Amino acid sequence: MTTRRKFIQGAAVVPAAALATPALAQNTIKWRMQTYAGAALAEHVIVPAVEMFNKIAGDRMQIELFFADQLVPTGELFQAMQRGTIDAVQSDDDSMASPTEVTVFGGYFPFASRYSLDVPVLFNQYGLNEIWDEEYSKVGVKHISAGAWDPCHFATKDPIRSLADLKGKRVFTFPTAGRFLSQFGVIPVNLPWEDIEVAMQTGELDGIAWSGITEDYTVGWADVTNYFLTNNISGAWAGSFFANMERWNELPEDLQTLFRVCCDQSHYYRQWWYWGGEANLRVNGPKMELTSIPDEEWATVEAAAFEFWEEIAAESDTKRRVVDIIKKYNADMLKAGRPYRYG
């Protein structure tokens, strides 16, 4: 597994020159960015945005992109960015273990969202942007923008048709999702992203709760799992772009604006790529059989999530602020009715 991972890492790096104009001026600003995504996934979730930035910025600035775990393990991304070893990062707060009060809400905070549009509305209209800015400014990191990515479903070797089927399953998932799911007998497993496919083949893992079906097909996990559970614990992942604060402040305003625009382009791409991809592959995908846990049984998981929210909120005033926003948002959506919420 280690040898395979090193081979993939060595082959995956995307040098700045490959994404940029051939000749660079002596005073070209050069950044190194690492994403949480492996090579196959990165082709969708970050490479187009970096290519766009490098093409427009030209000799003024170039970004060299690295994939999951290439420079540092994903769990050390925050520290490396804070130190300036890496200039920018694409990740969720949870995976990169940022030492902030909002870390637990990054990635998949259970049942906080139902649809991908929920995340940008929470950040841009309900006040999460301001809280994230406050928290990251305290630790020398610039939170640039948050976006909605894929929902969180189980992809497994054995069929999941009841909560009892989850018991004892060794599952690769996010820290907070794993903490929540452990009450249902799930055993969370933490491995490097590039090792997951092999771990499924060797039996080290029984399943994956890290993405929706679009990523399962894109990164090869659909080839090593047999079943896809249609119930999800979150309708959309919350992930962000971050930068070292000093490096960010050194950029001219127009390059900061360009960077934001390219981040927004990446978020927009994911909106429709996942939304359409999830439906298309459920209907037309040949590799995994769909399974479901009955609604009345799954309702107990949703109820447990609301208790989990209160458990998290009790940990700090900032967490309480975030949970209260999530609660208000979901209450508003329920009152708005279809198509925002129903059932």
Side-chain angles (χ1 to χ4, degrees), residues 8 35 46 70 96 106 169 201 211 253 338-339:
I8 293 172
T35 176
I46 185 62
Q70 284 193 317
M96 71 176 188
K169 294 292 190 292
Q201 293 171 314
S211 69
E253 185 177 354
R338 294 175 184 270

Side-chain angles (χ1 to χ4, degrees), residues 63-85:
I63 296 171
E64 186 174 11
L65 179 63
F66 297 85
F67 300 151
D69 304 310
Q70 284 193 317
L71 292 178
V72 298
T74 298
E76 298 175 16
L77 276 176
F78 177 86
Q79 294 178 347
M81 175 172 49
Q82 189 181 44
R83 291 193 305 265
T85 305

Side-chain angles (χ1 to χ4, degrees), residues 179-293:
R179 175 179 166 182
F180 172 68
L181 291 169
S182 62
Q183 66 186 290
F184 303 103
V186 171
I187 302 170
V189 178
N190 183 27
L191 290 170
W193 191 91
E194 292 287 1
D195 291 349
I196 304 310
E197 185 174 342
V198 174
M200 286 296 303
Q201 293 171 314
T202 61
E204 187 176 356
L205 288 174
D206 300 305
I208 302 163
W210 201 86
S211 69
I213 198 169
T214 306
E215 286 191 19
D216 291 335
Y217 273 78
T218 301
V219 307
W221 293 340
D223 298 322
V224 293
T225 55
N226 301 317
Y227 299 92
F228 179 84
L229 182 65
T230 59
N231 312 75
N232 66 51
I233 65 165
S234 175
W237 189 35
S240 297
F241 288 92
F242 306 87
N244 175 278
M245 186 69 80
E246 290 184 11
R247 299 289 83 75
W248 177 259
N249 289 337
E250 289 169 358
L251 291 184
E253 185 177 354
D254 63 330
L255 288 180
Q256 290 181 351
T257 300
L258 175 60
F259 193 91
R260 288 183 183 277
V261 168
C262 293
C263 292
D264 286 345
Q265 187 277 335
S266 177
H267 294 318
Y268 172 67
Y269 179 96
R270 295 177 78 122
Q271 286 273 312
W272 58 260
W273 185 58
Y274 283 122
W275 185 255
E278 298 298 302
N280 176 56
L281 289 169
R282 284 191 186 199
V283 175
N284 301 308
K287 295 180 180 179
M288 292 190 289
E289 180 181 335
L290 303 185
T291 63
S292 297
I293 294 174

Side-chain angles (χ1 to χ4, degrees), residues 271-328:
Q271 286 273 312
W272 58 260
W273 185 58
Y274 283 122
W275 185 255
E278 298 298 302
N280 176 56
L281 289 169
R282 284 191 186 199
V283 175
N284 301 308
K287 295 180 180 179
M288 292 190 289
E289 180 181 335
L290 303 185
T291 63
S292 297
I293 294 174
D295 289 345
E296 59 273 16
E297 190 175 4
W298 193 247
T300 65
V301 183
E302 294 192 41
F306 301 143
E307 293 179 11
F308 184 75
W309 291 6
E310 292 304 316
E311 177 186 330
I312 295 299
E315 294 178 352
S316 74
D317 291 341
T318 299
K319 289 177 181 176
R320 167 56 67 188
R321 288 171 64 196
V322 176
V323 168
D324 285 348
I325 287 173
I326 291 171
K327 288 170 66 175
K328 174 174 171 47

